[in-house]
Amino acid sequence: MKIFFYKPKWLRVKFPIGKKYNKILKLSNDKNLNTICKSGSCPNIDECWGKGVATFMILGNICTRSCKFCGVKTGKPKKIYFEEPKKVAHSIKIMRIKHAVITSVDRDDLKDMGAIIWGKTIKAIRNINHKITLETLIPDFKGREDLINIIINEKPEVISHNIETVRRLTKKVRVQAKYDRSINVLKYIKLKSNIRTKTGLMLGLGETEEEVIQTLKDSINAKIDIITIGQYLSPSIKHLPVKNFIHPYLFKKYKNLALDMGFLYVESGPLIRSSYNAYKHVL
């Protein structure tokens, strides 16, 4: 098993700075908001926050699932905070966010898996942020169509759900998730609405080029509009190790292939994360 203690030059990023970044950081700390930008150690945090784009994580910061790639804590989540939708909505207004991505931990401990809070959060944001555009990066809700409908009915500009990895590696990487279930969630959204759908893929976990291309084919067959492809980076030594660093030329190759297949937008590169350039995906 290879464990990398270095990063190639194309993965080195500068420490985030800037007035907009510092303002949003202070406000998120003051309001005790969870952002995946910070908790996920996103390398693009300075760029995105500087453009007035941020990803907020609702339903707490403890996940019921134990994905082997993710830096979010796993365990028994705290009780639901029913004022969270209003709190997130008001914070977005104060921060002057132009495009918000809303995501959440998995809440398999709840009967509705958090879907009701999801719906109320979208509604609350819309009520006081009239010009904002929204992307909802949702869990799979175990494939339950009644719960997915709650999100669809609120009509965010984009609904995304990340496949994360190729079929062969899904059980090892995502543990409680299923490859086909994720594909079918996105397929269902497209079947029931004209909302743009989006997914994300990590590379460097031991997948082959053929498997990546097959995942692209599976995604376009599900009528997914947007795909992001980035390098997996292990959050700690307790997580899955990086098997290999993907060279930028291969990311470019995948981008060209994906565009040729018919995706509307493709973000592909070593530092790409699922919310990168998210504001462009609504245009």
mmCIF file of all heavy atoms in Angstrom, residues 19 29 41 48 50 63 75 92 97 112 120 128 132 136 144 155 178 183 202 206 208 211 253 257 266 270 273 279:
data_model
loop_
_atom_site.group_PDB
_atom_site.id
_atom_site.type_symbol
_atom_site.label_atom_id
_atom_site.label_comp_id
_atom_site.label_asym_id
_atom_site.label_seq_id
_atom_site.Cartn_x
_atom_site.Cartn_y
_atom_site.Cartn_z
ATOM 1 N N LYS A 19 -9.839 40.269 1.992
ATOM 2 C CA LYS A 19 -10.874 40.882 2.826
ATOM 3 C C LYS A 19 -12.170 40.084 2.814
ATOM 4 O O LYS A 19 -12.795 39.874 3.850
ATOM 5 C CB LYS A 19 -11.132 42.318 2.353
ATOM 6 C CG LYS A 19 -9.988 43.293 2.635
ATOM 7 C CD LYS A 19 -10.353 44.702 2.173
ATOM 8 C CE LYS A 19 -9.211 45.671 2.475
ATOM 9 N NZ LYS A 19 -9.539 47.054 2.025
ATOM 10 N N ASN A 29 -17.874 31.961 11.767
ATOM 11 C CA ASN A 29 -17.483 31.606 13.128
ATOM 12 C C ASN A 29 -18.422 32.228 14.153
ATOM 13 O O ASN A 29 -18.851 31.575 15.112
ATOM 14 C CB ASN A 29 -16.043 32.049 13.397
ATOM 15 C CG ASN A 29 -15.021 31.208 12.654
ATOM 16 O OD1 ASN A 29 -15.306 30.069 12.270
ATOM 17 N ND2 ASN A 29 -13.852 31.757 12.419
ATOM 18 N N SER A 41 -11.590 21.374 4.168
ATOM 19 C CA SER A 41 -10.266 21.896 3.795
ATOM 20 C C SER A 41 -10.135 22.117 2.295
ATOM 21 O O SER A 41 -9.162 21.699 1.663
ATOM 22 C CB SER A 41 -9.159 20.939 4.281
ATOM 23 O OG SER A 41 -9.239 20.752 5.667
ATOM 24 N N CYS A 48 -13.322 31.075 -4.030
ATOM 25 C CA CYS A 48 -14.785 31.025 -4.024
ATOM 26 C C CYS A 48 -15.379 32.080 -3.098
ATOM 27 O O CYS A 48 -16.307 32.808 -3.489
ATOM 28 C CB CYS A 48 -15.261 29.639 -3.599
ATOM 29 S SG CYS A 48 -14.894 28.341 -4.814
ATOM 30 N N GLY A 50 -14.062 34.757 -2.175
ATOM 31 C CA GLY A 50 -13.779 36.069 -2.756
ATOM 32 C C GLY A 50 -14.777 36.473 -3.819
ATOM 33 O O GLY A 50 -14.983 37.656 -4.083
ATOM 34 N N CYS A 63 -21.824 13.041 10.888
ATOM 35 C CA CYS A 63 -22.501 12.229 9.880
ATOM 36 C C CYS A 63 -22.763 10.812 10.397
ATOM 37 O O CYS A 63 -21.954 10.251 11.149
ATOM 38 C CB CYS A 63 -21.636 12.170 8.615
ATOM 39 S SG CYS A 63 -22.453 11.401 7.196
ATOM 40 N N GLY A 75 -20.449 9.652 13.646
ATOM 41 C CA GLY A 75 -20.880 9.310 14.993
ATOM 42 C C GLY A 75 -22.373 9.481 15.158
ATOM 43 O O GLY A 75 -23.142 9.405 14.195
ATOM 44 N N ILE A 92 -26.663 34.184 5.164
ATOM 45 C CA ILE A 92 -26.376 34.374 3.741
ATOM 46 C C ILE A 92 -26.636 35.820 3.334
ATOM 47 O O ILE A 92 -25.867 36.412 2.565
ATOM 48 C CB ILE A 92 -27.218 33.393 2.891
ATOM 49 C CG1 ILE A 92 -26.630 31.981 3.006
ATOM 50 C CG2 ILE A 92 -27.273 33.830 1.431
ATOM 51 C CD1 ILE A 92 -27.465 30.909 2.351
ATOM 52 N N ILE A 97 -23.950 36.761 0.065
ATOM 53 C CA ILE A 97 -23.644 35.640 -0.816
ATOM 54 C C ILE A 97 -24.518 35.725 -2.064
ATOM 55 O O ILE A 97 -25.732 35.931 -1.984
ATOM 56 C CB ILE A 97 -23.897 34.291 -0.089
ATOM 57 C CG1 ILE A 97 -22.959 34.144 1.123
ATOM 58 C CG2 ILE A 97 -23.744 33.115 -1.041
ATOM 59 C CD1 ILE A 97 -21.501 34.086 0.777
ATOM 60 N N ASP A 112 -37.141 11.051 8.263
ATOM 61 C CA ASP A 112 -37.153 11.747 6.971
ATOM 62 C C ASP A 112 -35.749 12.033 6.467
ATOM 63 O O ASP A 112 -35.571 12.693 5.453
ATOM 64 C CB ASP A 112 -37.945 13.046 7.061
ATOM 65 C CG ASP A 112 -37.198 14.122 7.851
ATOM 66 O OD1 ASP A 112 -36.325 13.758 8.673
ATOM 67 O OD2 ASP A 112 -37.482 15.306 7.632
ATOM 68 N N LYS A 120 -37.239 23.334 4.221
ATOM 69 C CA LYS A 120 -37.447 24.589 4.954
ATOM 70 C C LYS A 120 -36.256 25.535 4.777
ATOM 71 O O LYS A 120 -36.427 26.755 4.742
ATOM 72 C CB LYS A 120 -37.677 24.297 6.433
ATOM 73 C CG LYS A 120 -39.036 23.666 6.709
ATOM 74 C CD LYS A 120 -39.272 23.468 8.200
ATOM 75 C CE LYS A 120 -40.673 22.926 8.456
ATOM 76 N NZ LYS A 120 -40.937 22.736 9.904
ATOM 77 N N ILE A 128 -35.798 35.601 1.867
ATOM 78 C CA ILE A 128 -35.126 36.867 2.200
ATOM 79 C C ILE A 128 -33.916 37.175 1.320
ATOM 80 O O ILE A 128 -33.283 38.210 1.478
ATOM 81 C CB ILE A 128 -34.706 36.907 3.689
ATOM 82 C CG1 ILE A 128 -33.651 35.840 4.000
ATOM 83 C CG2 ILE A 128 -35.910 36.756 4.605
ATOM 84 C CD1 ILE A 128 -33.042 36.012 5.385
ATOM 85 N N ILE A 132 -30.749 35.476 -5.099
ATOM 86 C CA ILE A 132 -29.746 34.420 -4.940
ATOM 87 C C ILE A 132 -30.061 33.232 -5.853
ATOM 88 O O ILE A 132 -31.213 32.970 -6.197
ATOM 89 C CB ILE A 132 -29.677 33.951 -3.469
ATOM 90 C CG1 ILE A 132 -28.369 33.197 -3.216
ATOM 91 C CG2 ILE A 132 -30.892 33.079 -3.109
ATOM 92 C CD1 ILE A 132 -28.073 32.966 -1.759
ATOM 93 N N THR A 136 -28.243 22.601 -4.501
ATOM 94 C CA THR A 136 -28.420 21.720 -3.354
ATOM 95 C C THR A 136 -27.646 20.431 -3.593
ATOM 96 O O THR A 136 -27.973 19.661 -4.494
ATOM 97 C CB THR A 136 -29.908 21.404 -3.123
ATOM 98 O OG1 THR A 136 -30.497 20.937 -4.346
ATOM 99 C CG2 THR A 136 -30.645 22.650 -2.653
ATOM 100 N N ARG A 144 -35.167 7.202 -1.610
ATOM 101 C CA ARG A 144 -36.607 7.408 -1.367
ATOM 102 C C ARG A 144 -37.133 8.586 -2.187
ATOM 103 O O ARG A 144 -36.757 9.736 -1.966
ATOM 104 C CB ARG A 144 -36.871 7.629 0.118
ATOM 105 C CG ARG A 144 -36.896 6.333 0.919
ATOM 106 C CD ARG A 144 -37.195 6.580 2.369
ATOM 107 N NE ARG A 144 -38.416 7.369 2.577
ATOM 108 C CZ ARG A 144 -38.831 7.772 3.785
ATOM 109 N NH1 ARG A 144 -38.123 7.461 4.859
ATOM 110 N NH2 ARG A 144 -39.939 8.488 3.899
ATOM 111 N N LYS A 155 -37.481 23.754 -6.156
ATOM 112 C CA LYS A 155 -36.916 24.274 -7.413
ATOM 113 C C LYS A 155 -35.578 25.023 -7.275
ATOM 114 O O LYS A 155 -35.443 26.163 -7.749
ATOM 115 C CB LYS A 155 -37.929 25.176 -8.117
ATOM 116 C CG LYS A 155 -39.207 24.466 -8.547
ATOM 117 C CD LYS A 155 -40.143 25.423 -9.267
ATOM 118 C CE LYS A 155 -41.346 24.713 -9.845
ATOM 119 N NZ LYS A 155 -42.192 24.074 -8.823
ATOM 120 N N LYS A 178 -24.415 3.152 -2.486
ATOM 121 C CA LYS A 178 -24.457 2.228 -3.609
ATOM 122 C C LYS A 178 -24.337 3.017 -4.908
ATOM 123 O O LYS A 178 -25.015 4.038 -5.076
ATOM 124 C CB LYS A 178 -25.757 1.415 -3.594
ATOM 125 C CG LYS A 178 -25.895 0.525 -2.373
ATOM 126 C CD LYS A 178 -27.219 -0.229 -2.384
ATOM 127 C CE LYS A 178 -27.351 -1.108 -1.155
ATOM 128 N NZ LYS A 178 -28.655 -1.827 -1.130
ATOM 129 N N ILE A 183 -26.730 6.886 -9.035
ATOM 130 C CA ILE A 183 -27.087 7.155 -10.429
ATOM 131 C C ILE A 183 -28.600 7.322 -10.565
ATOM 132 O O ILE A 183 -29.097 8.243 -11.224
ATOM 133 C CB ILE A 183 -26.597 6.017 -11.344
ATOM 134 C CG1 ILE A 183 -25.071 6.030 -11.468
ATOM 135 C CG2 ILE A 183 -27.259 6.094 -12.720
ATOM 136 C CD1 ILE A 183 -24.512 7.107 -12.365
ATOM 137 N N MET A 202 -13.995 11.724 -7.705
ATOM 138 C CA MET A 202 -12.621 11.859 -7.205
ATOM 139 C C MET A 202 -11.736 10.838 -7.906
ATOM 140 O O MET A 202 -12.137 9.694 -8.102
ATOM 141 C CB MET A 202 -12.551 11.570 -5.701
ATOM 142 C CG MET A 202 -13.416 12.419 -4.819
ATOM 143 S SD MET A 202 -13.277 11.870 -3.089
ATOM 144 C CE MET A 202 -13.977 10.215 -3.184
ATOM 145 N N GLY A 206 -7.232 4.467 -7.105
ATOM 146 C CA GLY A 206 -6.897 3.178 -7.697
ATOM 147 C C GLY A 206 -7.770 2.794 -8.874
ATOM 148 O O GLY A 206 -7.697 1.665 -9.369
ATOM 149 N N THR A 208 -9.138 2.764 -12.793
ATOM 150 C CA THR A 208 -8.477 2.724 -14.103
ATOM 151 C C THR A 208 -9.110 3.764 -15.025
ATOM 152 O O THR A 208 -10.219 4.253 -14.773
ATOM 153 C CB THR A 208 -8.617 1.333 -14.752
ATOM 154 O OG1 THR A 208 -10.008 1.104 -15.056
ATOM 155 C CG2 THR A 208 -8.100 0.240 -13.823
ATOM 156 N N GLU A 211 -12.442 2.611 -16.210
ATOM 157 C CA GLU A 211 -13.514 2.753 -15.219
ATOM 158 C C GLU A 211 -14.009 4.205 -15.141
ATOM 159 O O GLU A 211 -15.214 4.447 -14.963
ATOM 160 C CB GLU A 211 -13.027 2.288 -13.856
ATOM 161 C CG GLU A 211 -12.879 0.779 -13.749
ATOM 162 C CD GLU A 211 -12.271 0.339 -12.423
ATOM 163 O OE1 GLU A 211 -11.333 1.016 -11.942
ATOM 164 O OE2 GLU A 211 -12.734 -0.674 -11.867
ATOM 165 N N LYS A 253 -7.813 15.460 -20.529
ATOM 166 C CA LYS A 253 -8.336 14.420 -21.419
ATOM 167 C C LYS A 253 -9.754 14.038 -21.023
ATOM 168 O O LYS A 253 -10.650 13.942 -21.878
ATOM 169 C CB LYS A 253 -7.431 13.187 -21.368
ATOM 170 C CG LYS A 253 -7.944 11.997 -22.165
ATOM 171 C CD LYS A 253 -7.024 10.790 -22.022
ATOM 172 C CE LYS A 253 -7.582 9.563 -22.741
ATOM 173 N NZ LYS A 253 -6.685 8.387 -22.595
ATOM 174 N N LEU A 257 -13.281 14.467 -23.175
ATOM 175 C CA LEU A 257 -14.147 13.309 -23.409
ATOM 176 C C LEU A 257 -15.561 13.579 -22.916
ATOM 177 O O LEU A 257 -16.546 13.268 -23.595
ATOM 178 C CB LEU A 257 -13.576 12.071 -22.695
ATOM 179 C CG LEU A 257 -12.379 11.381 -23.348
ATOM 180 C CD1 LEU A 257 -11.799 10.333 -22.401
ATOM 181 C CD2 LEU A 257 -12.795 10.718 -24.662
ATOM 182 N N VAL A 266 -18.146 20.932 -17.533
ATOM 183 C CA VAL A 266 -17.205 19.974 -16.968
ATOM 184 C C VAL A 266 -16.092 20.752 -16.286
ATOM 185 O O VAL A 266 -15.431 21.584 -16.923
ATOM 186 C CB VAL A 266 -16.591 19.045 -18.052
ATOM 187 C CG1 VAL A 266 -15.631 18.053 -17.405
ATOM 188 C CG2 VAL A 266 -17.683 18.321 -18.827
ATOM 189 N N PRO A 270 -6.732 18.887 -10.958
ATOM 190 C CA PRO A 270 -6.261 18.372 -9.668
ATOM 191 C C PRO A 270 -6.910 19.025 -8.453
ATOM 192 O O PRO A 270 -7.190 18.346 -7.459
ATOM 193 C CB PRO A 270 -4.755 18.670 -9.711
ATOM 194 C CG PRO A 270 -4.421 18.729 -11.160
ATOM 195 C CD PRO A 270 -5.622 19.313 -11.831
ATOM 196 N N ARG A 273 -13.033 20.782 -6.814
ATOM 197 C CA ARG A 273 -13.952 20.183 -5.849
ATOM 198 C C ARG A 273 -15.367 20.414 -6.373
ATOM 199 O O ARG A 273 -15.597 21.226 -7.252
ATOM 200 C CB ARG A 273 -13.759 20.806 -4.456
ATOM 201 C CG ARG A 273 -12.375 20.541 -3.862
ATOM 202 C CD ARG A 273 -12.145 19.051 -3.618
ATOM 203 N NE ARG A 273 -10.818 18.741 -3.102
ATOM 204 C CZ ARG A 273 -9.778 18.385 -3.817
ATOM 205 N NH1 ARG A 273 -9.891 18.340 -5.147
ATOM 206 N NH2 ARG A 273 -8.625 18.087 -3.258
ATOM 207 N N TYR A 279 -21.249 28.823 -9.310
ATOM 208 C CA TYR A 279 -22.098 29.926 -9.764
ATOM 209 C C TYR A 279 -22.248 29.943 -11.291
ATOM 210 O O TYR A 279 -23.250 30.438 -11.823
ATOM 211 C CB TYR A 279 -21.540 31.265 -9.274
ATOM 212 C CG TYR A 279 -20.227 31.673 -9.902
ATOM 213 C CD1 TYR A 279 -20.195 32.560 -10.967
ATOM 214 C CD2 TYR A 279 -19.022 31.167 -9.441
ATOM 215 C CE1 TYR A 279 -18.994 32.937 -11.560
ATOM 216 C CE2 TYR A 279 -17.818 31.522 -10.020
ATOM 217 C CZ TYR A 279 -17.803 32.405 -11.078
ATOM 218 O OH TYR A 279 -16.604 32.762 -11.655
#
